[in-house]
């Protein structure tokens, strides 16, 4: 049987503790009466679901624009496909990120996945700021000059 404690350290508990193993940050949200929240980086499973949702959103936007769901016709000088840009409604996608990564003061999730539509409907600059912090903690560049995470996910 594997030894789980070494010199008084419970390695198993540390290895399974999501708050120890994911970057996270405690924030004060002045707009929410100074509430304390925690946002954490997305897990591998969160990223898989994010990419799935982003791909669906891009496919729906392409279909709504009268474009084929997958473009394989035009290529650039290097032979890479040229994708016409389509506008997607990103609030549901960013709401998903917030739902997965927003925690209360005791590090419990504030929302369930069923709350994504309600969060998307209420999406505001405060929510956007929190999502930006989640992407930052997850190692995704944000801001001017950075690739849009929706665009990046839709390429997979």
């Amino acid at each position: 049987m594997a030894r789980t404690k070494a010199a008084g350290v419970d390695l198993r508990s540390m290895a399974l503790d999501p708050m120890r193993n994911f970057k996270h940050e405690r924030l004060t949200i002045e707009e929410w009466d100074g509430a304390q929240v925690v946002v954490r980086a997305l897990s591998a499973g969160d990223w898989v679901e994010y990419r799935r949702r982003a791909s669906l959103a891009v496919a729906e936007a392409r279909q709504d624009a009268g474009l084929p769901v997958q473009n394989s016709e035009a290529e650039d000088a290097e032979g890479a496909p040229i994708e016409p840009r389509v506008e997607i409604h990103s609030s549901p996608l960013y709401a998903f990120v917030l739902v997965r990564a927003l925690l209360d003061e005791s590090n419990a999730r504030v929302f369930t996945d069923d709350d994504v539509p309600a969060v998307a409907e209420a999406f505001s600059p405060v929510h956007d700021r929190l999502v930006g912090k989640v992407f930052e903690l997850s190692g995704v560049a944000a801001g001017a000059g950075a690739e849009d995470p929706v665009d990046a996910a839709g390429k997979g």
Side-chain angles (χ1 to χ4, degrees):
M1 183 166 175
R3 195 168 125 187
T4 59
K5 284 195 173 189
V9 175
D10 185 0
L11 293 176
R12 184 178 194 283
S13 293
M14 287 188 287
L16 297 175
D17 180 0
M19 296 313 290
R20 182 180 293 270
N21 295 305
F22 288 93
K23 289 182 181 178
H24 60 280
E25 191 169 318
R26 185 171 303 277
L27 303 170
T28 301
I29 310 302
E30 296 303 329
E31 297 89 342
W32 297 348
D33 297 329
Q36 294 281 309
V37 301
V38 176
V39 290
R40 69 162 179 81
L42 296 174
S43 70
D46 296 335
W47 278 116
V48 167
E49 181 61 13
Y50 175 85
R51 288 182 58 88
R52 186 189 73 76
R53 289 173 183 244
S55 293
L56 285 173
V58 170
E60 287 173 11
R62 289 180 61 82
Q63 186 174 13
D64 291 347
L67 298 168
V69 174
Q70 292 292 330
N71 181 20
S72 59
E73 300 166 10
E75 295 180 349
D76 66 14
E78 297 165 2
I82 298 173
E83 294 286 333
R85 298 211 33 99
V86 292
E87 293 295 321
I88 70 162
H89 184 58
S90 60
S91 292
L93 192 56
Y94 293 149
F96 167 77
V97 170
L98 190 60
V99 160
R100 287 285 177 102
L102 182 66
L103 310 172
D104 66 17
E105 290 183 79
S106 65
N107 297 328
R109 276 182 63 181
V110 173
F111 299 109
T112 68
D113 288 356
D114 292 337
D115 293 317
V116 170
V119 174
E121 183 69 29
F123 210 79
S124 71
V126 175
H127 300 95
D128 193 52
R129 190 170 70 235
L130 292 170
V131 169
K133 179 55 75 173
V134 172
F135 283 136
E136 177 187 319
L137 293 169
S138 300
V140 175
E147 183 174 25
D148 185 318
V150 176
D151 288 343
K155 292 178 183 171

